[in-house]
Amino acid sequence: MKPQNILPILFAALALSACSGRKTGFSAADFTREVYTPAYASGFDIRGTDSSDATLITVRDPWQGARQEVQYLLVLRDGCPLPDGFDGQVVKAPVQRVVCLSSSHVAMFDALGEVRRIKGVSGIDYIANPYIREHRLCGEVRDVGYDSSLDFESLAAMRPSIVLLYGVSGENSMLTGKLRELHIPYIYVGDYLEPSPLGKAEWLMVAAELCDRSDFGHKIFGGIAARYNALAERVRSHIGSAHPDVVTLPKVLLNTPYRDTWFMPPARSYMVRLIRDAGGDTFTVSDEGNASLPVDMEQAYLLAADADVWLNVGGCNTLAELRAQNPKFADIPAVRRGQVFNNNRRQTFAGGSDFWESGATHPDLVLHDLAAILHPALGSDTLVYYKQLR
Protein backbone atom coordinates (compact mmCIF):
# COMPACT_ATOMS: atom_id res chain seq x y z
CA MET A 1 0.00 0.00 0.00
CA LYS A 2 1.47 3.32 -1.06
CA PRO A 3 1.89 6.19 1.41
CA GLN A 4 -0.71 8.34 -0.31
CA ASN A 5 -3.35 5.62 0.01
CA ILE A 6 -4.32 6.56 3.54
CA LEU A 7 -8.04 5.75 3.31
CA PRO A 8 -7.66 2.07 4.33
CA ILE A 9 -5.81 3.14 7.45
CA LEU A 10 -8.63 5.52 8.31
CA PHE A 11 -11.14 2.68 7.99
CA ALA A 12 -8.93 0.61 10.29
CA ALA A 13 -8.74 3.49 12.75
CA LEU A 14 -12.50 3.68 13.00
CA ALA A 15 -12.80 -0.03 13.73
CA LEU A 16 -10.00 0.03 16.27
CA SER A 17 -11.60 2.94 18.07
CA ALA A 18 -14.83 0.98 18.31
CA CYS A 19 -12.95 -1.91 19.90
CA SER A 20 -11.13 0.24 22.41
CA GLY A 21 -14.01 2.50 23.29
CA ARG A 22 -11.93 5.60 22.41
CA LYS A 23 -12.80 8.44 20.08
CA THR A 24 -12.52 7.97 16.33
CA GLY A 25 -10.54 9.94 13.78
CA PHE A 26 -6.89 8.94 14.09
CA SER A 27 -4.82 7.85 11.07
CA ALA A 28 -1.55 6.09 10.30
CA ALA A 29 0.23 9.16 11.60
CA ASP A 30 -1.23 8.42 15.04
CA PHE A 31 0.84 5.24 15.35
CA THR A 32 3.50 7.18 17.24
CA ARG A 33 4.17 4.86 20.17
CA GLU A 34 7.48 3.10 19.62
CA VAL A 35 6.94 -0.66 19.77
CA TYR A 36 10.14 -1.68 18.02
CA THR A 37 12.70 0.54 16.32
CA PRO A 38 15.49 -1.57 14.80
CA ALA A 39 19.05 -1.04 15.92
CA TYR A 40 20.57 -2.47 12.72
CA ALA A 41 17.86 -2.91 10.07
CA SER A 42 16.70 -0.01 7.93
CA GLY A 43 13.70 -1.55 6.18
CA PHE A 44 11.01 -1.73 8.87
CA ASP A 45 9.69 -0.47 12.17
CA ILE A 46 6.73 -1.31 14.41
CA ARG A 47 4.59 1.36 16.05
CA GLY A 48 1.43 1.48 18.13
CA THR A 49 -1.09 3.95 19.54
CA ASP A 50 -2.13 4.94 23.03
CA SER A 51 -5.75 4.03 22.36
CA SER A 52 -5.59 0.38 21.26
CA ASP A 53 -3.49 -2.78 21.20
CA ALA A 54 -3.16 -2.59 17.43
CA THR A 55 0.29 -2.15 15.90
CA LEU A 56 1.41 -0.99 12.51
CA ILE A 57 4.33 -2.70 10.73
CA THR A 58 5.85 -0.30 8.23
CA VAL A 59 8.08 -1.73 5.47
CA ARG A 60 10.20 0.67 3.45
CA ASP A 61 11.78 0.06 0.03
CA PRO A 62 11.09 -3.70 0.06
CA TRP A 63 12.83 -4.56 -3.22
CA GLN A 64 15.90 -3.56 -5.19
CA GLY A 65 15.55 -0.15 -6.77
CA ALA A 66 12.56 0.86 -4.67
CA ARG A 67 12.45 4.58 -4.02
CA GLN A 68 10.37 5.77 -1.07
CA GLU A 69 7.99 2.82 -1.44
CA VAL A 70 6.16 2.21 1.84
CA GLN A 71 3.86 -0.67 2.73
CA TYR A 72 1.82 -1.18 5.87
CA LEU A 73 0.49 -4.19 7.74
CA LEU A 74 -2.05 -3.55 10.50
CA VAL A 75 -1.83 -6.11 13.32
CA LEU A 76 -4.94 -6.55 15.47
CA ARG A 77 -5.17 -8.48 18.74
CA ASP A 78 -7.27 -8.99 21.87
CA GLY A 79 -10.43 -9.92 20.03
CA CYS A 80 -10.80 -6.73 18.04
CA PRO A 81 -12.69 -7.72 14.84
CA LEU A 82 -11.52 -6.94 11.35
CA PRO A 83 -12.83 -3.58 10.13
CA ASP A 84 -15.85 -3.93 7.83
CA GLY A 85 -14.98 -2.91 4.30
CA PHE A 86 -11.28 -2.45 5.05
CA ASP A 87 -9.31 -3.24 1.88
CA GLY A 88 -5.78 -2.75 3.26
CA GLN A 89 -3.50 -5.43 4.67
CA VAL A 90 -4.57 -6.49 8.15
CA VAL A 91 -3.86 -9.58 10.21
CA LYS A 92 -4.93 -10.90 13.60
CA ALA A 93 -2.14 -11.88 15.99
CA PRO A 94 -1.06 -14.45 16.81
CA VAL A 95 -1.13 -15.75 13.24
CA GLN A 96 -2.08 -19.41 12.92
CA ARG A 97 -1.30 -20.33 9.31
CA VAL A 98 1.68 -18.73 7.57
CA VAL A 99 2.96 -19.11 4.01
CA CYS A 100 6.61 -18.18 3.39
CA LEU A 101 7.87 -17.52 -0.13
CA SER A 102 11.51 -17.26 1.01
CA SER A 103 13.49 -19.81 3.00
CA SER A 104 14.89 -17.02 5.21
CA HIS A 105 11.33 -16.33 6.39
CA VAL A 106 11.11 -19.94 7.57
CA ALA A 107 14.27 -19.42 9.63
CA MET A 108 12.76 -16.41 11.40
CA PHE A 109 9.86 -18.44 12.74
CA ASP A 110 12.18 -21.32 13.58
CA ALA A 111 14.44 -19.04 15.65
CA LEU A 112 11.37 -18.07 17.68
CA GLY A 113 10.26 -21.69 18.18
CA GLU A 114 7.19 -20.94 16.05
CA VAL A 115 7.93 -22.90 12.88
CA ARG A 116 4.81 -25.01 13.44
CA ARG A 117 2.77 -22.00 12.30
CA ILE A 118 4.15 -22.39 8.77
CA LYS A 119 1.74 -24.30 6.54
CA GLY A 120 3.09 -23.42 3.11
CA VAL A 121 6.42 -22.65 1.48
CA SER A 122 7.79 -21.97 -1.97
CA GLY A 123 10.19 -24.60 -3.32
CA ILE A 124 9.91 -27.12 -0.51
CA ASP A 125 12.72 -29.29 -1.95
CA TYR A 126 15.11 -26.42 -1.27
CA ILE A 127 14.06 -25.84 2.34
CA ALA A 128 16.59 -27.19 4.85
CA ASN A 129 14.48 -26.77 8.00
CA PRO A 130 13.93 -30.20 9.65
CA TYR A 131 10.33 -29.44 10.69
CA ILE A 132 9.36 -28.48 7.14
CA ARG A 133 11.05 -31.58 5.70
CA GLU A 134 9.33 -33.89 8.20
CA HIS A 135 5.86 -32.40 7.96
CA ARG A 136 5.74 -32.27 4.19
CA LEU A 137 5.39 -36.06 4.25
CA CYS A 138 2.02 -35.94 6.01
CA GLY A 139 0.81 -32.91 4.07
CA GLU A 140 0.90 -30.52 7.01
CA VAL A 141 3.26 -28.25 5.07
CA ARG A 142 2.68 -27.80 1.35
CA ASP A 143 4.61 -26.40 -1.56
CA VAL A 144 2.63 -23.50 -3.04
CA GLY A 145 4.85 -22.97 -6.10
CA TYR A 146 6.85 -19.98 -7.26
CA ASP A 147 6.12 -16.29 -7.68
CA SER A 148 3.58 -15.75 -10.50
CA SER A 149 3.14 -19.53 -10.81
CA LEU A 150 1.77 -19.91 -7.30
CA ASP A 151 -0.92 -22.52 -6.78
CA PHE A 152 -3.72 -20.14 -5.85
CA GLU A 153 -6.25 -22.95 -5.56
CA SER A 154 -4.10 -24.59 -2.90
CA LEU A 155 -3.55 -21.24 -1.20
CA ALA A 156 -7.27 -20.57 -1.03
CA ALA A 157 -7.87 -24.02 0.48
CA MET A 158 -5.17 -23.44 3.10
CA ARG A 159 -6.78 -20.20 4.31
CA PRO A 160 -3.47 -18.67 5.40
CA SER A 161 -3.38 -15.94 8.01
CA ILE A 162 -0.69 -14.19 5.99
CA VAL A 163 1.65 -14.70 3.04
CA LEU A 164 5.19 -13.33 3.40
CA LEU A 165 6.43 -12.12 0.01
CA TYR A 166 9.76 -10.95 -1.33
CA GLY A 167 10.32 -8.70 -4.32
CA VAL A 168 13.32 -8.62 -6.61
CA SER A 169 12.74 -5.62 -8.86
CA GLY A 170 9.26 -4.44 -7.93
CA GLU A 171 5.83 -5.43 -6.73
CA ASN A 172 4.29 -8.42 -8.49
CA SER A 173 0.92 -6.79 -9.09
CA MET A 174 -0.57 -9.96 -10.58
CA LEU A 175 0.32 -11.88 -7.42
CA THR A 176 -0.79 -9.23 -4.94
CA GLY A 177 -3.95 -8.60 -6.94
CA LYS A 178 -4.88 -12.28 -6.76
CA LEU A 179 -4.13 -12.42 -3.03
CA ARG A 180 -6.43 -9.41 -2.48
CA GLU A 181 -9.10 -11.11 -4.56
CA LEU A 182 -8.81 -14.19 -2.31
CA HIS A 183 -8.81 -11.97 0.83
CA ILE A 184 -5.41 -13.34 1.87
CA PRO A 185 -3.27 -10.77 3.76
CA TYR A 186 0.33 -10.29 2.66
CA ILE A 187 3.39 -8.20 3.36
CA TYR A 188 6.68 -7.84 1.52
CA VAL A 189 9.69 -8.74 3.67
CA GLY A 190 12.89 -7.01 2.61
CA ASP A 191 15.37 -8.81 4.84
CA TYR A 192 17.60 -9.82 1.92
CA LEU A 193 18.29 -6.16 1.10
CA GLU A 194 19.87 -5.35 4.45
CA PRO A 195 23.65 -4.82 4.11
CA SER A 196 24.14 -5.42 7.83
CA PRO A 197 24.21 -9.10 8.87
CA LEU A 198 22.51 -8.16 12.13
CA GLY A 199 20.04 -6.00 10.19
CA LYS A 200 19.07 -9.00 8.11
CA ALA A 201 18.57 -11.11 11.24
CA GLU A 202 16.62 -8.34 12.97
CA TRP A 203 13.65 -8.92 10.66
CA LEU A 204 12.78 -11.85 12.93
CA MET A 205 11.13 -9.15 15.06
CA VAL A 206 8.45 -8.87 12.36
CA ALA A 207 7.75 -12.59 12.78
CA ALA A 208 7.74 -12.10 16.56
CA GLU A 209 5.12 -9.36 16.23
CA LEU A 210 2.95 -11.60 14.06
CA CYS A 211 3.23 -14.41 16.61
CA ASP A 212 2.53 -12.03 19.50
CA ARG A 213 5.92 -12.90 20.98
CA SER A 214 7.66 -9.56 20.86
CA ASP A 215 9.35 -9.95 24.26
CA PHE A 216 10.74 -13.36 23.32
CA GLY A 217 11.89 -11.95 19.99
CA HIS A 218 13.84 -9.28 21.88
CA LYS A 219 15.56 -12.01 23.88
CA ILE A 220 16.43 -14.16 20.86
CA PHE A 221 17.71 -11.32 18.71
CA GLY A 222 19.53 -9.76 21.64
CA GLY A 223 21.49 -12.97 22.11
CA ILE A 224 22.37 -13.17 18.42
CA ALA A 225 23.57 -9.56 18.39
CA ALA A 226 25.58 -9.96 21.60
CA ARG A 227 27.40 -13.04 20.32
CA TYR A 228 28.07 -11.44 16.93
CA ASN A 229 29.42 -8.22 18.38
CA ALA A 230 31.56 -10.03 20.95
CA LEU A 231 33.20 -12.15 18.26
CA ALA A 232 33.73 -9.15 15.96
CA GLU A 233 35.44 -7.33 18.82
CA ARG A 234 37.57 -10.39 19.55
CA VAL A 235 38.67 -10.45 15.90
CA ARG A 236 39.59 -6.76 16.02
CA SER A 237 41.62 -7.30 19.18
CA HIS A 238 43.39 -10.29 17.63
CA ILE A 239 44.30 -8.31 14.52
CA GLY A 240 45.51 -5.38 16.57
CA SER A 241 47.72 -7.52 18.77
CA ALA A 242 49.11 -9.60 15.89
CA HIS A 243 49.91 -6.62 13.67
CA PRO A 244 50.68 -3.64 15.88
CA ASP A 245 52.32 -1.57 13.14
CA VAL A 246 50.97 -2.68 9.76
CA VAL A 247 47.66 -4.48 9.42
CA THR A 248 47.59 -6.96 6.54
CA LEU A 249 44.22 -8.60 6.24
CA PRO A 250 43.62 -11.84 4.31
CA LYS A 251 42.24 -11.03 0.86
CA VAL A 252 39.07 -12.90 -0.01
CA LEU A 253 37.75 -13.76 -3.48
CA LEU A 254 33.98 -14.26 -3.62
CA ASN A 255 31.82 -16.31 -6.00
CA THR A 256 32.60 -17.82 -9.41
CA PRO A 257 32.15 -16.64 -13.01
CA TYR A 258 28.74 -16.70 -14.66
CA ARG A 259 28.78 -16.90 -18.46
CA ASP A 260 32.30 -15.51 -18.68
CA THR A 261 31.46 -12.61 -16.37
CA TRP A 262 32.42 -12.24 -12.72
CA PHE A 263 29.97 -10.37 -10.55
CA MET A 264 31.65 -8.46 -7.74
CA PRO A 265 29.64 -7.45 -4.67
CA PRO A 266 29.03 -3.82 -3.72
CA ALA A 267 31.13 -2.47 -0.87
CA ARG A 268 28.12 -2.25 1.45
CA SER A 269 26.84 -5.77 0.84
CA TYR A 270 26.00 -8.43 3.41
CA MET A 271 28.89 -10.77 2.58
CA VAL A 272 31.43 -7.94 2.47
CA ARG A 273 30.36 -6.78 5.92
CA LEU A 274 30.67 -10.33 7.28
CA ILE A 275 34.15 -10.74 5.81
CA ARG A 276 35.33 -7.44 7.20
CA ASP A 277 33.90 -8.22 10.66
CA ALA A 278 35.72 -11.58 10.44
CA GLY A 279 39.02 -9.79 9.86
CA GLY A 280 39.30 -10.08 6.09
CA ASP A 281 39.23 -7.86 3.04
CA THR A 282 37.56 -8.53 -0.27
CA PHE A 283 37.31 -7.14 -3.78
CA THR A 284 34.27 -4.93 -4.31
CA VAL A 285 32.71 -2.52 -6.76
CA SER A 286 31.09 0.86 -6.13
CA ASP A 287 30.09 1.96 -2.63
CA GLU A 288 26.76 3.07 -4.05
CA GLY A 289 23.80 0.77 -4.55
CA ASN A 290 23.06 -2.75 -3.34
CA ALA A 291 23.56 -4.77 -6.51
CA SER A 292 26.58 -6.77 -7.70
CA LEU A 293 28.26 -5.49 -10.86
CA PRO A 294 30.12 -7.40 -13.59
CA VAL A 295 33.84 -7.27 -14.28
CA ASP A 296 35.51 -8.92 -17.25
CA MET A 297 37.47 -12.14 -16.86
CA GLU A 298 40.87 -10.54 -17.35
CA GLN A 299 40.30 -8.15 -14.47
CA ALA A 300 38.82 -10.97 -12.39
CA TYR A 301 41.92 -13.08 -12.94
CA LEU A 302 44.20 -10.29 -11.73
CA LEU A 303 42.13 -9.97 -8.57
CA ALA A 304 41.95 -13.74 -8.07
CA ALA A 305 45.73 -14.04 -8.35
CA ASP A 306 46.02 -11.71 -5.35
CA ALA A 307 43.52 -13.59 -3.15
CA ASP A 308 44.50 -15.58 -0.07
CA VAL A 309 41.13 -17.34 0.29
CA TRP A 310 38.35 -18.18 -2.17
CA LEU A 311 34.81 -18.40 -0.78
CA ASN A 312 31.33 -19.33 -2.04
CA VAL A 313 32.21 -21.32 -5.15
CA GLY A 314 28.75 -22.37 -6.29
CA GLY A 315 27.94 -26.05 -6.45
CA CYS A 316 31.52 -27.29 -6.26
CA ASN A 317 32.29 -29.90 -3.61
CA THR A 318 35.94 -30.66 -4.46
CA LEU A 319 38.95 -28.81 -5.82
CA ALA A 320 38.84 -31.06 -8.88
CA GLU A 321 35.30 -29.89 -9.65
CA LEU A 322 36.33 -26.27 -9.15
CA ARG A 323 39.30 -26.62 -11.50
CA ALA A 324 37.17 -28.35 -14.12
CA GLN A 325 34.51 -25.65 -14.02
CA ASN A 326 36.99 -22.76 -13.85
CA PRO A 327 40.15 -23.87 -15.71
CA LYS A 328 41.42 -20.29 -16.07
CA PHE A 329 41.61 -20.04 -12.28
CA ALA A 330 42.99 -23.50 -11.57
CA ASP A 331 46.47 -22.21 -10.77
CA ILE A 332 45.71 -19.20 -8.58
CA PRO A 333 47.42 -19.26 -5.15
CA ALA A 334 44.23 -19.91 -3.15
CA VAL A 335 43.56 -23.07 -5.17
CA ARG A 336 47.15 -24.27 -5.06
CA ARG A 337 47.23 -23.86 -1.29
CA GLY A 338 43.80 -25.44 -0.82
CA GLN A 339 42.36 -22.27 0.70
CA VAL A 340 38.95 -22.70 -0.90
CA PHE A 341 35.82 -22.92 1.24
CA ASN A 342 32.23 -23.34 0.13
CA ASN A 343 29.09 -22.39 2.04
CA ASN A 344 27.25 -25.62 1.18
CA ARG A 345 28.06 -27.86 4.14
CA ARG A 346 24.33 -27.95 5.00
CA GLN A 347 22.48 -28.62 1.78
CA THR A 348 19.25 -30.31 0.73
CA PHE A 349 19.18 -33.12 -1.82
CA ALA A 350 17.90 -30.62 -4.40
CA GLY A 351 20.70 -28.15 -3.72
CA GLY A 352 19.03 -25.75 -1.29
CA SER A 353 21.56 -24.14 1.05
CA ASP A 354 20.92 -23.64 4.75
CA PHE A 355 23.53 -20.87 4.61
CA TRP A 356 20.93 -18.62 2.96
CA GLU A 357 18.17 -19.99 5.19
CA SER A 358 19.09 -20.27 8.86
CA GLY A 359 22.39 -18.49 8.24
CA ALA A 360 20.45 -15.29 7.50
CA THR A 361 18.97 -15.40 11.00
CA HIS A 362 22.17 -16.60 12.70
CA PRO A 363 24.94 -14.31 11.43
CA ASP A 364 26.79 -15.03 14.67
CA LEU A 365 27.33 -18.60 13.46
CA VAL A 366 28.35 -17.43 9.98
CA LEU A 367 30.83 -15.01 11.52
CA HIS A 368 32.20 -17.89 13.62
CA ASP A 369 32.91 -19.83 10.41
CA LEU A 370 34.54 -16.91 8.62
CA ALA A 371 36.70 -15.96 11.60
CA ALA A 372 37.88 -19.56 11.90
CA ILE A 373 38.73 -19.63 8.17
CA LEU A 374 40.53 -16.29 8.06
CA HIS A 375 42.12 -16.46 11.52
CA PRO A 376 42.39 -20.13 12.53
CA ALA A 377 43.78 -19.23 15.95
CA LEU A 378 40.40 -17.70 16.84
CA GLY A 379 38.00 -20.48 15.95
CA SER A 380 37.37 -24.15 16.41
CA ASP A 381 38.00 -26.75 13.72
CA THR A 382 34.24 -27.34 13.43
CA LEU A 383 32.49 -25.18 10.84
CA VAL A 384 28.71 -24.79 10.73
CA TYR A 385 27.93 -23.66 7.18
CA TYR A 386 31.29 -23.86 5.40
CA LYS A 387 33.51 -26.73 4.34
CA GLN A 388 37.02 -26.75 2.97
CA LEU A 389 37.36 -28.20 -0.52
CA ARG A 390 39.88 -31.01 -0.87
Side-chain angles (χ1 to χ4, degrees), residues 265-283:
R268 294 187 298 162
S269 75
Y270 166 77
M271 276 304 305
V272 171
R273 177 64 179 273
L274 276 165
I275 289 168
R276 289 176 176 170
D277 284 347
D281 194 12
T282 189
F283 311 106

Side-chain angles (χ1 to χ4, degrees), residues 107 110-111 197-198 201 223-229 231-232 270 274 278 343 345-346 354-355 357-373 379-380 382-386:
D110 185 59
L198 287 173
I224 292 169
R227 291 188 295 272
Y228 185 100
N229 288 327
L231 179 54
Y270 166 77
L274 276 165
N343 55 352
R345 175 181 287 274
R346 298 164 64 156
D354 196 33
F355 177 87
E357 188 175 319
S358 70
T361 305
H362 295 284
D364 53 328
L365 298 180
V366 177
L367 187 64
H368 160 274
D369 280 10
L370 294 174
I373 290 168
S380 67
T382 303
L383 301 180
V384 180
Y385 297 104
Y386 279 87

Side-chain angles (χ1 to χ4, degrees), residues 118-188:
I118 297 175
K119 304 301 179 183
V121 297
S122 179
I124 200 166
D125 289 343
Y126 299 92
I127 303 295
N129 184 271
Y131 178 92
I132 301 299
R133 293 204 310 267
E134 292 168 7
H135 288 76
R136 69 178 295 184
L137 301 176
C138 57
E140 289 186 21
V141 181
R142 304 179 188 175
D143 192 333
V144 298
Y146 293 93
D147 200 24
S148 57
S149 299
L150 286 184
D151 183 347
F152 290 108
E153 183 177 347
S154 178
L155 269 178
M158 291 168 61
R159 297 178 291 108
S161 306
I162 191 167
V163 177
L164 302 184
L165 308 176
Y166 72 93
V168 177
S169 58
E171 180 175 0
N172 185 333
S173 56
M174 188 282 290
L175 170 58
T176 55
K178 188 64 176 179
L179 291 175
R180 285 194 295 271
E181 179 184 324
L182 295 171
H183 304 291
I184 297 174
Y186 64 85
I187 189 68
Y188 275 90

Side-chain angles (χ1 to χ4, degrees), residues 3-283:
Q4 64 267 29
N5 192 7
I6 202 67
L7 190 57
I9 295 295
L10 292 174
F11 282 135
L14 294 172
L16 285 168
S17 298
C19 292
S20 62
R22 302 292 183 89
K23 64 181 181 179
T24 63
F26 63 83
S27 69
D30 291 298
F31 284 82
T32 56
R33 178 172 57 86
E34 180 179 308
V35 174
Y36 189 79
T37 300
Y40 303 93
S42 61
F44 79 95
D45 63 47
I46 305 171
R47 292 173 288 134
T49 73
D50 295 327
S51 60
S52 76
D53 291 323
T55 52
L56 189 70
I57 299 174
T58 301
V59 175
R60 292 177 291 276
D61 298 336
W63 46 73
Q64 286 186 352
R67 293 292 182 269
Q68 298 182 337
E69 175 74 22
V70 179
Q71 299 199 343
Y72 299 112
L73 177 66
L74 191 61
V75 182
L76 305 180
R77 43 180 64 79
D78 289 341
C80 187
L82 293 172
D84 291 336
F86 175 58
D87 62 354
Q89 299 309 305
V90 60
V91 68
K92 289 184 178 180
V95 292
Q96 301 299 323
R97 305 176 65 81
V98 179
V99 172
C100 299
L101 298 193
S102 170
S103 62
S104 66
H105 305 162
V106 173
M108 295 173 192
F109 286 86
D110 185 59
L112 297 166
E114 299 290 345
V115 69
R116 70 185 188 282
R117 298 184 186 274
I118 297 175
K119 304 301 179 183
V121 297
S122 179
I124 200 166
D125 289 343
Y126 299 92
I127 303 295
N129 184 271
Y131 178 92
I132 301 299
R133 293 204 310 267
E134 292 168 7
H135 288 76
R136 69 178 295 184
L137 301 176
C138 57
E140 289 186 21
V141 181
R142 304 179 188 175
D143 192 333
V144 298
Y146 293 93
D147 200 24
S148 57
S149 299
L150 286 184
D151 183 347
F152 290 108
E153 183 177 347
S154 178
L155 269 178
M158 291 168 61
R159 297 178 291 108
S161 306
I162 191 167
V163 177
L164 302 184
L165 308 176
Y166 72 93
V168 177
S169 58
E171 180 175 0
N172 185 333
S173 56
M174 188 282 290
L175 170 58
T176 55
K178 188 64 176 179
L179 291 175
R180 285 194 295 271
E181 179 184 324
L182 295 171
H183 304 291
I184 297 174
Y186 64 85
I187 189 68
Y188 275 90
V189 178
D191 62 313
Y192 81 100
L193 292 169
E194 298 285 351
S196 163
L198 287 173
K200 189 186 295 286
E202 199 167 13
W203 279 79
L204 70 83
M205 291 302 302
V206 171
E209 188 71 15
L210 295 174
C211 295
D212 229 1
R213 301 202 69 191
S214 179
D215 289 345
F216 187 64
H218 274 274
K219 179 180 178 181
I220 294 299
F221 178 70
I224 292 169
R227 291 188 295 272
Y228 185 100
N229 288 327
L231 179 54
E233 178 57 36
R234 187 180 170 207
V235 170
R236 285 190 291 270
S237 297
H238 170 76
I239 292 171
S241 62
H243 307 283
D245 299 318
V246 179
V247 176
T248 303
L249 302 179
K251 291 185 174 62
V252 178
L253 181 68
L254 281 172
N255 308 327
T256 55
Y258 177 74
R259 294 182 179 176
D260 292 328
T261 301
W262 203 303
F263 285 85
M264 292 291 173
R268 294 187 298 162
S269 75
Y270 166 77
M271 276 304 305
V272 171
R273 177 64 179 273
L274 276 165
I275 289 168
R276 289 176 176 170
D277 284 347
D281 194 12
T282 189
F283 311 106

